[in-house]
Amino acid sequence: MIALETLKGRLVDGLLEVQKEEGYVARERFIFNRGATDEQLALLPAWTADDYQAFLRQHNGAKLFQHETLSYNDGFELFSIEDCLTYSEIWECPENFLAIGAGPDGEWIVYEMNRPAGNRIWSGEFLNFEEWEEDAMPFGFERWLDYLIVAQGTQFWEWFR
C-alpha cells in the first residue's frame, strides 16, 4: 500500500492540506489505529481478502480526511475488526460481504470478497445488495484506498454516476 505510506509520510502532526472539488482547500486530520493482532484477525471470516487483512494488520481502523475543526464526521472512517463485524450484522450484509467503513454523511462502505470475477467495493446509503449493482466498484480494497488518497478524500465514484 504505497499510496498509504506516502500519505502518512506527508502528514504534519496528523494533518495535511488538501484541495477538493470546486477549489475547496482545508487542513484535514488523519488518525491511524494500532495494527490488529493475530487473535483479532482470526475473528474475521475465512474468505476475507488478503489486501484488507494487510491493512488491518498495519492499522486496525483509521479516520481519513476529517476536517481539522469540524466536529461531525465529514471524512472517512475505516472500521476496526470489531466494528466490521458489528456493522456487517447491523447492515445485514450477505455472505462474502464485510462492512469496512463509513463515508461522509454515514455512507456505507462494504467490501464484497471471494467473487470469481474479482472483489468489489460498494458504497452508498442503505445498500440493496441484490438490486443496486451500480453501487459496486470493480476493484478491491487496496486500489479503492489508493484512488481515495489520490482523489484527496473526495468520493471519486460519484464523479461518473
Side-chain angles (χ1 to χ4, degrees):
M1 295 190 190
I2 296 169
L4 179 61
E5 291 307 310
T6 303
L7 168 74
K8 290 182 342 188
R10 295 175 52 220
L11 300 177
V12 177
D13 296 326
L15 296 167
L16 179 70
E17 187 170 88
V18 299
Q19 180 175 342
K20 296 191 177 186
E21 293 114 335
E22 299 178 6
Y24 172 75
V25 177
R27 287 171 36 110
E28 296 191 335
R29 183 168 309 285
F30 297 78
I31 301 168
F32 297 95
N33 296 351
R34 223 180 294 145
T37 64
D38 289 338
E39 292 77 24
Q40 290 170 313
L41 288 165
L43 298 172
L44 291 168
W47 42 260
T48 303
D50 291 341
D51 63 346
Y52 189 59
Q53 287 190 53
F55 170 77
L56 292 169
R57 189 174 300 284
Q58 188 175 8
H59 299 292
N60 188 11
K63 292 185 179 182
L64 310 173
F65 300 100
Q66 305 278 317
H67 191 279
E68 179 181 25
T69 58
L70 297 177
S71 60
Y72 63 88
N73 180 12
D74 63 326
F76 291 84
E77 178 179 2
L78 298 177
F79 294 152
S80 66
I81 291 171
E82 181 180 322
D83 287 342
C84 285
L85 299 172
T86 299
Y87 280 98
S88 291
E89 188 174 320
I90 292 170
W91 295 348
E92 299 177 2
C93 293
E95 180 73 22
N96 295 329
F97 285 73
L98 189 64
I100 63 167
D105 301 322
E107 180 180 15
W108 299 4
I109 302 168
V110 178
Y111 195 3
E112 180 184 11
M113 301 173 237
N114 201 28
R115 273 180 86 235
N119 297 339
R120 303 188 296 185
I121 297 287
W122 293 61
S123 183
E125 293 183 33
F126 311 107
L127 294 170
N128 180 329
F129 300 100
E130 289 84 32
E131 296 176 15
W132 294 359
E133 286 286 319
E134 69 270 8
D135 288 326
M137 293 171 256
F139 39 78
F141 177 78
E142 186 172 0
R143 185 175 295 173
W144 175 84
L145 183 59
D146 182 60
Y147 288 178
L148 181 69
I149 292 167
V150 169
Q152 298 196 68
T154 60
Q155 294 164 294
F156 64 88
W157 51 93
E158 296 292 338
W159 296 346
F160 306 103
R161 288 186 181 166

